[in-house]
Amino acid sequence: MISIPELRTMFENMVTARLYEERLVQEYLEGKQPAFDISAGPIPGELHLAAGHEASGAGVCIHLRPDDTVTGPHRPHHIAIAKGVDLKRMTAEIFGRSTGLCRGKGGHMHLFDPEVNFACSGIIAQGCPPAVGAALAAKKRGTDAVAVAFLGEGAIDQGGFLESLNFAAVQRLPVLFVIEDNDWAISMPKEQVTDVKDGSQRARGFALPGVRVDSDDACDVYEAAGEAVRRARDGNGPTLLEIQVHRRMGHFMGDPETYRPDRDTELAQQRDSIERLAATLRRHGVSAEDVQAMRDRSSERVEEAIAWAKEQPEPSPEEAYEHVFTDPVEPYTAGGVQS
Amino acid sequence: MSTTTEASTAATGRQLTMSRAIVEAVAHEMRENPEVFLMGEDVAEYGGIFSSATGLLDQFGPDRVMNVPISETAYIGAAVGAAQAGMRPIAELMFVDFFGVAMDQIYNNMAKNTYMSGGAVSVPMVLTAGVGGGYNDAGQHSQTLYGTFAHLPGMKVVVPSNAYDAKGLMHSAIRSNDPVVYLFHKRLMGLGWMPSPPGPKTAVPEEDYTIPFGKAAVVREGGDATVVTLGIHVQRALDAAEELRSAGAGEVEVIDLRSLVPLDSATVVESVRKTGRLLVVDEDYRSFGVTGEVIARTAEGALDSLRAVRRLALPDVPIPYARPLENEVIPGTADISTALRSLLS
Amino acid sequence: MSEPVELNSADFWPEGAGEDDEAYLANWFVRPGSPVRKGTALCEIQVLKATLDVESPVGGHLEEVLVEEGGTFRKGTILARLRPEG
């Protein structure tokens, strides 16, 4: 049975993720208007927002400990926040600063926080094998840690995902695969690329349990993920979960979404899992003031992180040569020209 | 690390094939460190198709010597995940030619995660693979692809030419805090069903020892020309050098690179300053590869000393099946002799 | 000086292999004149696709190799002579 503190944690993580991305959009668009130049402004490069996915990150990660591993996809903010990634250093990374999680070498799609065993990758479904590896390490070491790989529904036709399901199944590894189904793979609707309506059915081919959560109600996600995490911790192997989420924004900032019917975007924006969870909190006796106070605290946390990040120094150009290896290799200097 | 030297152990007279030397290093590391494990296709009961894991299952059991599904993406990627969690996996890719089905895990995760995390993450794993042709297995099972791995940043790439080096390099590879691509030539392993030429079977100490990466070996000294090579072509270069000496055609220095990343340019440059003549021999494709890189670095480091340069590598064709075709494209001892005579004339 | 010990292939001929099967000497791991311990792997042979290591029956020295690498032999062939210690 879900507890009030758990409801509150999920709510704060979801609100933080939503407010965080709203603020990122403001920062991102600076220098990109009126002409949109993807490399201009304080946050350059692609930015994939997860607005509408928050219940998935919050409802799964509430069951996780810091020693559990999570790999995320290219749309990672809500998952990172729910996993407890350092928000200030994550923000500094997104702003390309030298104190960022990756010292400015990763950016928003490639966040690594070993303190809480979080990583994400920009290649579709390719976070699955490393999550399987983390689960393998946990099993070999005899701990009860688990691993979770998040992926989009557009990733379920990738070999890396299917190979990982099979490997995890045959080794009975403590790992969850969580498909966030937002109906769209950039511009391709799900029905255009697969005849399987319910991605969790992919599990059947690997003799694994597959569960679909048909709503993005955080409480439903909580229940399904809780059972899957327990299965994994108890040594009973992997589970495939699919969670229906909604893409409130384009695939990335700057996506004109000309391919998407207006009605689809409207529906996605109407179905707001955050407001639904706020109502649930109120039904459980949490006061309106208290709910508002949680929103305010989340907002402060976001503002603090962004302000801190913007004060951080940019990396010096020489840092480009560092960290190719853990045990460094002397740079090649023959002929007097480095690298 | 043991202080045993090559000379003192040669007295024991124990000669190991390269495959046995590799297995001995892996077994030692597995005994010493519970975080080391091996996974690959057919590595358990079979002991590895090229005998890179013979007997390890019996010693360490199926949890540490794991057969895996034929899913290179899954198990190489799983090795990345386990390495990031602090274990020291060895993942065997049966033939290096199969890298294509798993390249994303290799070059986007294994090779880049340390850099892209700003050093927050280490990936201490070894990716082993059998390489090379010379036994008529055609274009999908005969490549070396040394240059492909060395080209992409983030992987240390080692290529042993004999049993002594193979063991020392494997100890170093497993103890390395970085991903190491360990490429062993199938024809050097000493397999009964794919006999090796003389050379790779050497005296090997029973104790552990390491050979550092980035230190080439001058395996024969000479003042008239330098041959830079690696893997199976080290012995062929030595044979060609001996032939030239017998014919009074010149004294040839032979350098075994042993690792491509890091690459010991200094030893090559120093040798060319002495000889002025450079031949680079490689079993990888000619263009955009190892031979070009070695020559470019030598030019950058010793252009004023360079009087003549040649290279021998696979012409830019896939490796053909039939004997006369394969023999035509893979450099042999006679090809090296011819190139050296031309270089010295 | 002790009497030499013969390394007779009949002593380790695999059960599945018959009198007429031919074996192949794949690798010697010890050079003539080198010391060996009892149980040291002396050589690797192949019979009927199976590979097996032949261990030294005594401690001492490998005195003489009678079947070289790459050579073939049958059951009862003497592969080498060893000189036991003491």
Side-chain angles (χ1 to χ4, degrees):
Chain A
M1 189 52 196
I2 192 163
S3 69
I4 303 282
E6 286 173 319
L7 284 172
R8 295 173 67 101
T9 300
M10 289 198 297
F11 183 72
E12 288 192 64
N13 280 332
M14 291 168 67
V15 169
T16 301
R18 178 72 58 84
L19 294 173
Y20 184 68
E21 293 200 331
E22 285 172 358
R23 283 291 287 111
L24 283 190
V25 167
Q26 289 172 6
E27 298 289 337
Y28 185 78
L29 289 177
E30 199 180 306
K32 296 191 182 71
Q33 288 171 323
F36 184 85
D37 172 351
I38 192 165
S39 62
I43 304 177
E46 289 181 78
L47 186 64
H48 307 83
L49 299 173
H53 289 219
E54 294 90 348
S56 149
V60 173
C61 294
I62 186 94
H63 300 287
L64 303 182
R65 309 182 306 229
D67 65 329
D68 295 325
T69 295
V70 166
T71 66
H74 57 287
R75 202 181 296 286
H77 304 146
H78 62 304
I79 305 166
I81 288 168
K83 184 67 171 74
V85 169
D86 184 319
L87 193 63
K88 286 182 174 168
R89 293 194 62 210
M90 167 171 152
T91 312
E93 183 59 33
I94 293 171
F95 278 82
R97 305 305 167 105
S98 69
T99 51
L101 283 175
C102 313
R103 301 166 187 260
K105 292 192 170 106
H108 106 104
M109 277 187 277
H110 317 100
L111 303 164
F112 291 82
D113 190 351
E115 295 291 314
V116 294
N117 291 298
F118 177 86
C120 54
S121 151
I123 312 283
I124 299 302
Q126 297 294 51
C128 295
V132 166
L136 184 66
K139 186 180 172 189
K140 284 186 184 302
R141 288 165 160 174
T143 76
D144 67 344
V146 304
V148 183
F150 283 86
L151 58 151
E153 96 289 339
I156 68 170
D157 304 315
Q158 271 281 19
F161 166 60
L162 300 166
E163 287 190 16
S164 294
L165 282 176
N166 183 60
F167 189 99
V170 75
Q171 293 285 338
R172 214 175 169 81
L173 297 179
V175 58
L176 276 67
F177 301 90
V178 178
I179 304 164
E180 298 184 309
D181 176 9
N182 70 10
D183 299 319
W184 292 92
I186 306 189
S187 69
M188 300 186 295
K190 193 162 79 170
E191 62 272 16
Q192 208 175 74
V193 292
T194 176
D195 276 345
V196 175
K197 289 190 172 58
D198 170 0
S200 73
Q201 288 183 13
R202 287 270 191 274
R204 289 190 192 171
F206 303 95
L208 286 179
V211 179
R212 181 173 159 88
V213 181
D214 231 342
S215 81
D216 61 353
D217 186 323
C219 297
D220 294 345
V221 177
Y222 174 95
E223 293 299 334
E227 195 181 327
V229 170
R230 270 191 300 280
R231 264 177 58 78
R233 280 207 210 290
D234 292 347
N236 294 319
T239 303
L240 175 60
L241 275 185
E242 178 169 84
I243 300 166
Q244 179 70 56
V245 296
H246 301 97
R247 197 176 93 186
R248 298 168 71 91
M249 316 282 284
H251 165 71
F252 50 26
M253 283 297 296
D255 178 0
E257 289 200 280
T258 47
Y259 51 85
R260 189 175 181 187
D262 291 344
R263 180 73 190 136
D264 188 77
T265 310
E266 283 164 25
L267 281 175
Q269 289 178 349
Q270 282 164 17
R271 294 184 180 116
D272 192 338
S273 58
I274 293 179
E275 295 317 313
R276 190 181 331 195
L277 187 54
T280 305
L281 279 165
R282 298 279 290 111
R283 273 203 311 282
H284 281 77
V286 178
S287 72
E289 293 73 26
D290 200 349
V291 170
Q292 186 57 45
M294 283 190 270
R295 291 184 202 268
D296 293 344
R297 273 202 302 278
S298 299
S299 177
E300 279 165 30
R301 196 176 155 221
V302 166
E303 292 306 332
E304 257 176 36
I306 288 177
W308 185 83
K310 289 167 82 170
E311 285 166 8
Q312 299 305 302
E314 289 197 306
S316 59
E318 311 87 76
E319 290 178 45
Y321 302 102
E322 295 173 1
H323 303 119
V324 178
F325 294 110
T326 298
D327 299 333
V329 164
E330 210 171 302
Y332 166 57
T333 55
V337 184
Q338 182 170 313
S339 303
Chain B
M1 183 183 150
S2 140
T3 54
T4 310
T5 63
E6 211 168 338
S8 74
T9 55
T12 68
R14 190 180 74 137
Q15 304 274 305
L16 283 196
T17 59
M18 209 166 90
S19 72
R20 286 169 190 250
I22 290 171
V23 170
E24 199 167 272
V26 172
H28 179 96
E29 296 297 329
M30 288 182 74
R31 275 194 302 274
E32 295 288 311
N33 185 351
E35 302 285 10
V36 179
F37 69 98
L38 169 68
M39 57 180 165
E41 292 147 7
D42 306 293
V43 297
E45 288 82 359
Y46 198 113
I49 297 298
F50 303 111
S51 300
S52 55
T54 306
L56 292 176
L57 176 69
D58 292 342
Q59 288 181 66
F60 300 103
D63 282 347
R64 298 187 68 195
V65 181
M66 294 169 56
N67 276 344
V68 295
I70 304 173
S71 302
E72 287 82 1
T73 292
Y75 76 82
I76 293 173
V80 173
Q84 287 176 184
M87 298 196 78
R88 290 186 176 259
I90 304 165
E92 174 167 302
L93 182 62
M94 188 186 293
F95 288 77
V96 76
D97 314 67
F98 303 168
F99 83 109
V101 295
M103 197 54 178
D104 185 69
Q105 290 300 326
I106 296 170
Y107 91 118
N108 268 328
N109 280 346
M110 184 184 89
K112 290 183 190 150
N113 280 359
T114 296
Y115 188 81
M116 294 192 78
S117 69
V121 160
S122 294
V123 190
M125 65 176 279
V126 185
L127 177 64
T128 63
V131 306
Y135 63 102
N136 311 98
D137 220 2
Q140 297 173 351
H141 294 76
S142 299
Q143 301 166 95
T144 59
L145 300 176
Y146 302 137
T148 301
F149 293 95
H151 175 67
L152 298 160
M155 298 173 254
K156 292 177 177 171
V157 181
V158 302
V159 182
S161 69
N162 62 71
Y164 180 85
D165 285 359
K167 181 171 169 179
L169 289 167
M170 181 55 85
H171 280 297
S172 299
I174 298 170
R175 295 176 195 180
S176 165
N177 293 311
D178 292 301
V180 177
V181 181
Y182 185 105
L183 302 173
F184 56 82
H185 200 293
K186 290 162 265 178
R187 259 256 184 265
L188 291 177
M189 292 293 267
L191 310 172
W193 52 279
M194 195 192 291
S196 294
K201 187 158 49 170
T202 63
V204 176
E206 290 180 20
E207 308 78 37
D208 60 313
Y209 59 96
T210 56
I211 292 179
F213 301 157
K215 295 279 180 249
V218 179
V219 290
R220 181 190 174 103
E221 291 188 12
D224 298 324
T226 302
V227 180
V228 175
T229 188
L230 71 169
I232 199 168
H233 281 86
V234 172
Q235 188 60 43
R236 290 178 193 167
L238 287 170
D239 292 346
E242 186 57 35
E243 187 193 316
L244 261 73
R245 171 189 279 171
S246 305
E251 292 293 334
V252 175
E253 186 143 301
V254 178
I255 295 175
D256 177 357
L257 288 172
R258 302 201 288 194
S259 70
L260 290 176
V261 181
L263 183 65
D264 184 359
S265 315
T267 294
V268 176
V269 165
E270 191 186 332
S271 176
V272 171
R273 287 218 173 101
K274 177 175 71 176
T275 64
R277 293 185 161 85
L278 173 65
L279 169 66
V280 189
V281 183
D282 177 26
E283 196 180 318
D284 202 354
Y285 301 115
R286 179 166 52 206
S287 297
F288 311 100
V290 173
T291 53
E293 183 61 30
V294 170
I295 291 167
R297 291 203 191 190
T298 309
E300 285 169 328
L303 185 61
D304 48 353
S305 305
L306 263 181
R307 288 193 284 159
V309 179
R310 295 277 188 289
R311 58 171 151 169
L312 273 178
L314 285 180
D316 300 318
V317 298
I319 299 172
Y321 164 63
R323 285 194 190 89
L325 301 179
E326 191 190 37
N327 291 343
E328 169 64 18
V329 302
I330 296 183
T333 304
D335 299 314
I336 300 172
S337 300
T338 305
L340 279 171
R341 284 171 197 277
S342 140
L343 193 70
L344 287 162
S345 65
Chain C
M1 202 170 175
S2 57
E3 285 301 305
V5 170
E6 290 180 336
L7 194 67
N8 187 330
S9 65
D11 296 341
F12 42 81
W13 200 250
E15 280 182 21
E19 299 281 334
D20 294 334
D21 287 316
E22 202 168 39
Y24 169 74
L25 209 147
N27 276 299
W28 277 106
F29 301 122
V30 180
R31 285 184 175 161
S34 298
V36 295
R37 289 191 290 263
K38 188 177 181 195
T40 297
L42 294 173
C43 62
E44 174 187 333
I45 66 166
Q46 283 181 19
V47 198
L48 297 176
K49 290 187 186 170
T51 296
L52 64 115
D53 282 7
V54 179
E55 295 177 353
S56 181
V58 294
H61 284 80
L62 179 65
E63 189 166 79
E64 188 183 7
V65 166
L66 300 170
V67 177
E68 296 292 339
E69 268 180 27
T72 55
F73 58 92
R74 290 181 189 276
K75 186 173 179 180
T77 305
I78 310 300
L79 303 188
R81 268 192 275 278
L82 296 137
R83 179 74 60 179
E85 207 88 280

